[in-house]
Amino acid sequence: MPENIHKIIIGVDTHKDFHHVAIITTLGAAVADRQFPATPAGYGEVLDWVAGHGQVLRAGVEGTGSYGAGLTKRFRVAGIEVVDVIAPDKQERRLRGKTDKIDAYSAARAVLAQRATTVPKTREGHVEAIRVLHTTKRLVIKQSTETMNQLKGLLVSAPDTLREKLAGLTGKPLSRACTRLRALKTDDLVTQHSKTALKALGNRHLALQAEAAALLKDYEALVKDYAPELLAVHGVGPDVAAALLTVTGENVDRITSESALAHLCGAAPIPASSGKTNRNRLNRGGNRQGNAALHRIIVSRLKGHQATKDYMTKSLARGKGKREAMRLLKRYVCREIHPILIKIQQRHQTLQQAA
């Protein structure tokens, strides 16, 4: 039997309740595929099954941060290199069709062809805890904003007495005033129930604001403990630091260069040449939360960081647009914070190995 038959690549199409696993050779030939339950026992069955077909070189897994997180962790414990695979695009699906088997083989061949090369995040340390708290806080803030918008929208058509009573108030003062509303015997039916609705929305807004503050306090303490060097960077606060750490992850092998960080955050130029036209354009891809974090750093620096203000002035004088100048400044920030992130990751990796 040829040697390359013994070396295999795995592709996994992940789902909530089950995973479909496919095996190919290093030449791309299909070997076998099978469905397994998405449980710890099922992960063990996957390892036993693939071990019977040869030596695993790499495993391509769809959704390493969601449905495939458990299997990814199990593969890593077993010493199998895992690659994060993006689901096939629409054009490929139109040509090949869509089944779990097809997607699993497609994942394996994406790894073989090196179309998929992204290293998944580890999810066992400080950064994962920060991500959970930061993501939840963003959701709570969104709900808080929606609640305030509902409250203000209700006031637009509220009875005149209520609108006059609450005129000029916004934010927490408006919410507090709504919680103090009391139905009176002289109130008509609409006024009574408008007060009830406004009081409920006011209480909800204040409760959500308190939840957001508590979550911020929790992950601020984690960020200070895990990455004090990042907080020392001009324009980086706990919220921005949490966003950057969440995007980059905790494993040192994930972001190999400052160029990779810039591409990850959508701050690197993208070639857009054709024929005699030779140019680059702004990257509209990348992780948008990472890009937003870089944007907030630049906005903060433009208010009180002289070097950043001077660079913006020079860029505009050279004919650059403001968006392009902002992109260049984001690229500079990536160059500045990349070695800091690597230093943080290496320090904690050393501490984990020593433990």
Side-chain angles (χ1 to χ4, degrees), residues 56-347:
V56 180
L57 296 181
R58 284 180 297 278
V61 181
E62 287 188 15
T64 57
S66 54
Y67 291 144
L71 184 59
T72 298
K73 182 178 179 180
R74 191 65 175 270
F75 277 159
R76 279 178 162 157
V77 171
I80 297 174
E81 180 185 347
V82 182
V83 177
D84 190 9
V85 177
I86 300 174
D89 60 26
K90 293 181 179 179
Q91 182 178 3
E92 183 176 349
R93 284 184 168 173
R94 279 196 296 268
L95 293 173
R96 295 191 176 189
K98 167 73 174 77
T99 66
D100 298 336
K101 177 180 177 178
I102 291 173
D103 286 351
Y105 276 115
S106 177
R109 293 189 175 109
V111 174
L112 177 63
Q114 295 188 343
R115 295 195 307 271
T117 57
T118 302
V119 178
K121 300 176 188 176
T122 56
R123 296 182 179 273
E124 294 89 35
H126 278 70
V127 173
E128 178 63 8
I130 291 169
R131 184 194 70 83
V132 170
L133 293 171
H134 184 248
T135 303
T136 305
K137 186 238 181 184
R138 285 178 50 222
L139 175 62
V140 170
I141 289 294
K142 180 181 178 181
Q143 292 173 339
S144 173
T145 302
E146 290 173 348
T147 301
M148 179 53 65
N149 290 340
Q150 288 175 330
L151 195 156
K152 290 180 177 179
L154 187 59
L155 274 177
V156 170
S157 58
D160 292 340
T161 54
L162 282 176
R163 286 193 289 112
E164 291 175 2
K165 184 179 182 68
L166 301 172
L169 297 177
T170 188
K172 286 185 178 181
L174 176 58
S175 296
R176 294 192 186 100
C178 288
T179 62
R180 295 192 293 267
L181 292 174
R182 298 291 183 271
L184 303 175
K185 292 182 179 179
T186 56
D187 291 337
D188 58 54
L189 186 64
V190 174
T191 301
Q192 287 180 7
H193 291 289
S194 294
K195 286 181 176 180
T196 300
L198 289 169
K199 184 177 180 179
L201 290 172
N203 282 321
R204 177 162 176 75
H205 181 258
L206 292 176
L208 289 169
Q209 288 284 304
E211 287 179 25
L215 289 165
L216 173 60
K217 185 177 179 180
D218 286 342
Y219 72 70
E220 184 177 3
L222 285 173
V223 171
K224 286 180 179 179
D225 179 56
Y226 179 80
E229 303 97 327
L230 192 57
L231 290 173
V233 176
H234 193 288
V236 177
D239 205 57
V240 169
L244 290 172
L245 290 171
T246 298
V247 170
T248 56
E250 194 163 354
N251 35 326
V252 71
D253 59 336
R254 178 172 160 78
I255 308 299
T256 56
S257 66
E258 40 110 352
S259 175
L261 177 62
H263 277 283
L264 177 63
C265 294
I270 298 296
S273 302
S274 178
K276 296 181 180 180
T277 302
N278 186 14
R279 71 182 185 91
N280 294 321
R281 66 167 175 81
L282 289 170
N283 185 358
R284 299 177 182 86
N287 186 288
R288 304 322 296 167
Q289 294 304 316
N291 191 278
L294 296 178
H295 185 85
R296 290 170 66 182
I297 293 173
I298 300 306
V299 170
S300 174
R301 290 186 175 189
L302 285 173
K303 295 178 181 178
H305 190 251
Q306 193 57 46
T308 302
K309 294 165 71 174
D310 292 342
Y311 187 89
M312 174 62 80
T313 302
K314 291 178 182 178
S315 295
L316 295 176
R318 291 199 302 265
K320 300 285 186 183
K322 187 173 181 181
R323 291 177 63 192
E324 177 64 13
M326 289 290 286
R327 205 278 304 161
L328 293 171
L329 285 168
K330 289 176 185 178
R331 185 68 174 82
Y332 176 84
V333 172
C334 288
R335 191 174 298 117
E336 179 182 355
I337 66 173
H338 177 261
I340 297 174
L341 291 169
I342 294 298
K343 179 182 177 182
I344 293 167
Q345 291 170 338
Q346 288 175 337
R347 182 179 69 243

